[in-house]
Amino acid sequence: MSKKQKTHEPLFHIAKRDSLPWYYSWAIRIIAIILALMVSALLTLFLTDENPISIFSTMIDGAFGSSRRIWNLLQNIAILLCVSLALTPAFKMRFWNIGGEGQVLIGGLATAACMICLGGKIPNTLLILLMIISSIAAGAIWAVIPAIFKAKYNTNETLFTLMMNYVGIQLVSYFVNIWEVPKGSGTIGIINQTNQEGWLPVIGEYDYLLNVIVVLVITVLMYLYLKYSKHGYEISVVGESENTAKYIGINVKKVIIRTMLLSGAVCGIAGLLLVGGTNHTITTTTANNRGFTAIMVSWLAKFNPIYMIFTTFLLVFLERGANEISTVFRLNQSFSDIITGIILFFIIGSEFFINYQIKFHTRKEVK
Amino acid sequence: MKTTKKIVAVILAALLAVACFAGCSKGNDADASNDNGTAAATDMKVGFIFLHDSNSTYDLNFINAADEACDALGISEKNRIYKTNIPEGNECYEAAEDLVDQGCTFIFADSFGHEDYLIKSAKAHPEVQYCHATGTKAHTEGLANYHNAFASIYEGRYLAGIAAGMKLNEMIDAGEFKADEAKIGYVGAFTYAEVVSGYTSFFLGARSVCPTATMEVTFTGSWYNETLEKEAANKLISNGCKLISQHADSMGAPTACENAGVPNVSYNGSTENACPNTFIVSSRINWAPYFEYAITCVKDGKAIDTDWSGTIATDSVLLTSINDKAAAKGTKEAIDAAKAKLKDGTLHVFDTTTFTVDGKKLDSYKADVDTDANYEADTEVISDGYFHESEFRSAPYFDVRIDGITLLDENYGS
């Protein structure tokens, strides 16, 4: 780039990087996290009277402070990971399934319906079996509706799945009003509290162990499915280019529908675990925005189920820690949201520097 | 590249150092003050579970009361743990368990849907006392360490109703409308006991000073929906209502009144700042007396009432200051007189001689006091000439439709 050229030269330009060695990209990520912590510390210092170091130690305490908190952390990781795993095959296919929230809720609603309508009337094992089947089916149906429209009429799946969320939320709210105890309270309360009909079994003394095991199994299966199965290969080809897929004889419509059935089914399992295994009730907030958070988990992990364990851990840790901050320091929830926001901003921002480099237009190039 | 790295390293080190120093000094200060406070009073730990945080007026009312009670009892900030934004699900159970882990011996939750999860935790920890506002299950659950509480807000609404009646009288005297046009409008959330009890007591208060008063009620089907509440108030105003009150938590109805220049009796707290020309008075529940009572019981090892109902006599029901710009002359005097009678028991809000049902006096009524799936009426609540509200359990159960009040619609939330 000669300086003699008359044309105006910008200060820097952005160029796509060749792929970086893994240790280099992880170094960038770690630096990003450290920077994020620094900025949060400064902000804490300026905005409140609290000591930033104690804020971070409180976060760690909130996530790991007691065996109960560790189990809580694991439980939240398990559910969020489950939803993220569900969305991943769709994302990998470049099908933007923003409807995880609704798919989880509908799965949970089907579970709750079985527990309420059939609890005590049929043997418990049969009831649990029906809950499993109906939750998976409900989630799958909720996801396949937009998929069919996409495959047949090429509708916009982002809007469609997004709007299916609201239909799901309204349906839950409708049924909560039908099943509410007492009338007018807007809550169902714990379903089958006395006889525990339809409650998923507890392994030993650990309330959440079953959830953790189920999700671990799903993680491994999803990893194998995406990496080694023919279906997984078809998903990545459709994701890369639909035309290529057509050219090599992949039935794109079939892949879209099949993948969304899978995506919805796994969301349904998340609903089952939430309603049948943990909450034993359903409200419109049962999914707790996990359907949206999962999008970030999946993207941050580059759609790799094993990496997703780490990204889920990070997000859940931030959330638990941030909650503890607002409790211990009596700060408004907004403060922990700000901290979480800063950290996520840096992490997502670091992906930019991993994929691109900035070239300054000086005599020698400085990164 | 090397220089950049060096600069970054230096900045990071500097930041870390600053953070450490700032942290040390401040941390020590806080500890010192906390220790002093604790030594002077008690080392008892108390835990509170709130549905939202201080951004919600409902929770703010509880948070302020908790602070007030803890300050009065000498419980240091370190020993009061406030868990905010706890949904009505398993999270409430986990929050309660976490409070127990941290050594709390008194745990309180503020939202109706927390009840089942609080009971679940209460069963596991008989040594810890659990209290729950607005719940209905304590008297049937049979747990020694689980308690419900509410306040006789109907007394406050009755007094606020007197202010409304005085205002109607003033407008009649000024010739704004005829005595038989004195119609009140009421925006309710849902058509169930808590709201029915509220609007009926308000109406009885108004009619005690303005005998020709009638009332129309409409329901929004939501505890908080500003648009719906505003529309509901506008509908009532166009129906010819001369004064509006509400039982829902947004600013919808008060704002509609201010815009239309129609007087408003508010709820949950003063809306005078937003509605300087139409706000008359507002009633609210003050939870501080209950917190002081329950925490003191735990401290002294005494049993807490299974169902505690705060009254106007315990200062659990409060009226805000009256807005002289909108209220009729003599309002304060009239309210104070009625308040004294309520306190000494000579006046009962639901006195059966003051209202009729289908043209007849009500001599016997069975209310649904015990929670069951079929809403069966189970308890006789009329004796000594009045309806005994909030006595058989703390949460309201008055759900009688009395003459003079027209329901434009009903909304049970479905």
Side-chain angles (χ1 to χ4, degrees):
Chain A
M1 308 234 164
S2 149
K3 280 197 133 186
K4 281 166 194 163
Q5 276 180 321
K6 287 264 169 100
T7 50
H8 172 71
E9 240 182 40
L11 185 61
F12 60 85
H13 78 271
I14 292 164
K16 185 101 170 84
R17 266 189 213 280
D18 297 331
S19 66
L20 284 171
W22 68 271
Y23 51 87
Y24 203 93
S25 60
W26 278 99
I28 293 184
R29 290 191 183 106
I30 288 164
I31 290 172
I33 291 180
I34 294 173
L35 278 176
L37 292 177
M38 291 297 154
V39 172
S40 328
L42 272 182
L43 192 81
T44 314
L45 207 59
F46 286 128
L47 289 184
T48 70
D49 287 338
E50 307 298 346
N51 163 3
I53 299 295
S54 72
I55 288 233
F56 292 124
S57 66
T58 305
M59 281 184 94
I60 292 166
D61 184 52
F64 303 108
S66 63
S67 66
R68 182 184 314 287
R69 287 180 179 177
I70 294 174
W71 272 112
N72 251 314
L73 185 80
L74 289 176
Q75 149 74 4
N76 280 291
I77 290 176
I79 301 291
L80 181 59
L81 183 58
C82 187
V83 184
S84 314
L85 288 168
L87 300 186
T88 300
F91 282 160
K92 217 172 169 184
M93 193 176 68
R94 296 288 186 272
F95 182 105
W96 310 124
N97 180 10
I98 316 292
E101 189 85 358
Q103 289 149 25
V104 172
L105 271 180
I106 287 294
L109 184 63
T111 312
C114 290
M115 291 167 77
I116 291 171
C117 302
L118 300 173
K121 290 173 191 153
I122 55 173
N124 204 24
T125 357
L126 184 62
L127 175 62
I128 289 181
L129 202 66
L130 275 175
M131 281 160 54
I132 296 172
I133 295 169
S134 58
S135 62
I136 290 177
I141 290 171
W142 217 246
V144 85
I145 296 172
I148 291 172
F149 276 82
K150 168 85 178 177
K152 295 237 177 216
Y153 309 110
N154 199 24
T155 52
N156 181 324
E157 79 278 8
T158 316
L159 284 176
F160 206 137
T161 50
L162 182 69
M163 290 201 265
M164 290 293 277
N165 285 332
Y166 301 108
V167 181
I169 289 170
Q170 291 305 320
L171 269 180
V172 170
S173 144
Y174 176 76
F175 280 101
V176 165
N177 285 325
I178 288 182
W179 294 326
E180 66 189 352
V181 180
K183 218 172 180 186
S185 62
T187 58
I188 298 179
I190 297 179
I191 303 167
N192 303 342
Q193 194 168 11
T194 43
N195 52 20
Q196 308 205 341
E197 289 279 344
W199 291 23
L200 297 184
V202 172
I203 301 174
E205 289 174 358
Y206 307 109
D207 285 348
Y208 304 137
L209 186 56
L210 178 75
N211 293 358
V212 173
I213 292 172
V214 169
V215 175
L216 262 182
V217 171
I218 297 177
T219 313
V220 174
L221 290 180
M222 189 60 83
Y223 178 74
L224 297 176
Y225 177 78
L226 289 176
K227 184 137 192 190
Y228 297 109
S229 79
K230 180 163 167 271
H231 286 186
Y233 178 71
E234 287 176 348
I235 287 171
S236 34
V237 176
V238 172
E240 291 296 327
S241 154
E242 276 194 25
N243 286 332
T244 311
K246 276 180 200 153
Y247 180 72
I248 61 173
I250 292 174
N251 183 342
V252 175
K253 288 178 182 176
K254 195 174 131 196
V255 173
I256 289 179
I257 291 173
R258 185 181 67 206
T259 307
M260 277 305 281
L261 275 172
L262 175 73
S263 190
V266 180
C267 276
I269 294 177
L272 171 76
L273 295 179
L274 274 172
V275 174
T278 313
N279 284 333
H280 307 123
T281 191
I282 188 160
T283 66
T284 48
T285 55
T286 294
N288 203 7
N289 285 332
R290 289 190 184 92
F292 300 108
T293 316
I295 298 170
M296 193 149 62
V297 171
S298 188
W299 269 95
L300 281 177
K302 305 254 168 59
F303 312 136
N304 180 327
I306 307 295
Y307 288 171
M308 261 184 238
I309 298 176
F310 298 106
T311 49
T312 320
F313 166 79
L314 179 73
L315 287 175
V316 172
F317 166 76
L318 284 177
E319 187 216 325
R320 307 295 309 171
N323 280 343
E324 186 65 12
I325 289 176
S326 64
T327 302
V328 170
F329 298 104
R330 298 214 37 206
L331 295 170
N332 194 294
Q333 183 76 17
S334 317
F335 187 77
S336 42
D337 288 345
I338 292 172
I339 298 281
T340 316
I342 290 175
I343 296 175
L344 286 178
F345 181 80
F346 274 84
I347 292 171
I348 295 168
S350 76
E351 297 300 317
F352 174 81
F353 290 99
I354 290 170
N355 288 319
Y356 298 93
Q357 54 184 330
I358 297 177
K359 292 187 174 169
F360 289 93
H361 292 264
T362 49
R363 219 161 293 161
K364 59 172 186 175
E365 282 186 359
V366 179
K367 190 202 79 111
Chain B
M1 218 158 125
K2 270 183 185 167
T3 34
T4 332
K5 268 189 184 167
K6 270 183 191 164
I7 291 169
V8 168
V10 169
I11 292 174
L12 290 187
L15 280 178
L16 199 64
V18 169
C20 285
F21 282 118
C24 294
S25 58
K26 276 183 183 146
N28 290 342
D29 285 353
D31 283 350
S33 65
N34 275 346
D35 286 348
N36 290 339
T38 317
T42 168
D43 52 3
M44 183 186 157
K45 266 196 177 180
V46 294
F48 294 85
I49 296 170
F50 303 111
L51 181 61
H52 302 294
D53 57 26
S54 51
N55 288 333
S56 144
T57 53
Y58 179 81
D59 296 273
L60 183 64
N61 193 23
F62 282 99
I63 292 171
N64 288 340
D67 275 336
E68 194 184 323
C70 288
D71 286 343
L73 295 170
I75 294 171
S76 69
E77 298 234 346
K78 210 167 67 180
N79 285 334
R80 42 179 117 146
I81 305 170
Y82 295 178
K83 294 230 171 215
T84 49
N85 294 299
I86 305 297
E88 298 174 319
N90 201 52
E91 292 88 344
C92 173
Y93 167 74
E94 289 295 350
E97 292 287 307
D98 193 59
L99 289 170
V100 174
D101 287 350
Q102 294 186 53
C104 293
T105 48
F106 168 86
I107 293 173
F108 173 85
D110 76 341
S111 188
F112 187 87
H114 286 148
E115 184 160 39
D116 283 345
Y117 300 92
L118 210 58
I119 290 175
K120 189 173 157 196
S121 179
K123 281 181 179 160
H125 305 283
E127 74 285 1
V128 178
Q129 296 298 319
Y130 292 79
C131 294
H132 179 237
T134 76
T136 57
K137 290 189 176 166
H139 71 290
T140 47
E141 203 65 34
L143 287 172
N145 64 331
Y146 179 77
H147 322 277
N148 282 150
F150 215 112
S152 56
I153 184 66
Y154 63 92
E155 293 181 310
R157 289 202 183 268
Y158 182 86
L159 297 177
I162 291 177
M166 303 279 289
K167 181 69 185 176
L168 289 174
N169 283 345
E170 189 191 66
M171 290 192 284
I172 295 169
D173 292 342
E176 289 182 29
F177 50 86
K178 291 191 195 114
D180 59 355
E181 291 171 346
K183 187 161 76 176
I184 303 169
Y186 197 95
V187 180
F190 295 98
T191 318
Y192 56 86
E194 190 181 340
V195 181
V196 177
S197 172
Y199 71 68
T200 311
S201 53
F202 176 76
F203 176 68
L204 291 173
R207 201 165 61 176
S208 71
V209 287
C210 177
T212 56
T214 56
M215 181 151 99
E216 273 182 6
V217 186
T218 182
F219 300 92
T220 59
S222 161
W223 279 117
Y224 190 102
N225 186 326
E226 187 146 5
T227 315
L228 278 183
E229 287 164 37
K230 204 170 181 176
E231 281 171 9
N234 283 332
K235 178 174 80 180
L236 292 165
I237 292 167
S238 63
N239 273 3
C241 293
K242 311 298 182 203
L243 182 144
I244 301 287
S245 184
Q246 79 275 356
H247 188 173
D249 297 339
S250 89
M251 288 295 293
T255 314
C257 289
E258 184 73 9
N259 292 343
V262 171
N264 175 258
V265 174
S266 202
Y267 181 55
N268 267 345
S270 177
T271 46
E272 189 173 346
N273 285 336
C275 310
N277 300 314
T278 54
F279 168 80
I280 296 178
V281 72
S282 168
S283 53
R284 74 172 178 97
I285 297 180
N286 171 21
W287 286 97
Y290 179 65
F291 289 151
E292 277 190 45
Y293 156 77
I295 294 171
T296 310
C297 282
V298 177
K299 206 157 78 176
D300 301 346
K302 287 186 199 146
I304 304 172
D305 283 352
T306 308
D307 268 276
W308 190 89
S309 191
T311 62
I312 208 136
T314 62
D315 280 334
S316 293
V317 178
L318 297 180
L319 287 189
T320 61
S321 60
I322 297 163
N323 178 16
D324 293 325
K325 205 169 165 189
K329 276 203 184 90
T331 301
K332 190 175 185 313
E333 291 72 18
I335 288 179
D336 285 345
K339 197 168 164 181
K341 281 191 195 166
L342 282 175
K343 275 188 183 172
D344 66 21
T346 51
L347 175 68
H348 295 287
V349 170
F350 297 111
D351 187 329
T352 49
T353 57
T354 60
F355 64 90
T356 54
V357 177
D358 296 329
K360 282 179 240 138
K361 183 168 173 270
L362 201 62
D363 288 321
S364 164
Y365 189 76
K366 282 207 179 236
D368 178 23
V369 174
D370 299 338
T371 301
D372 58 84
N374 301 324
Y375 313 108
E376 270 170 33
D378 44 49
T379 309
E380 174 62 52
V381 288
I382 293 186
S383 59
D384 305 326
Y386 67 98
F387 185 108
H388 292 251
E389 172 69 311
S390 294
E391 282 178 32
F392 296 97
R393 72 164 196 225
S394 53
Y397 43 81
F398 182 97
D399 57 357
V400 188
R401 310 281 189 268
I402 71 166
D403 296 335
I405 301 177
T406 314
L407 302 195
L408 298 181
D409 46 53
E410 298 197 4
N411 196 324
Y412 295 94
S414 50

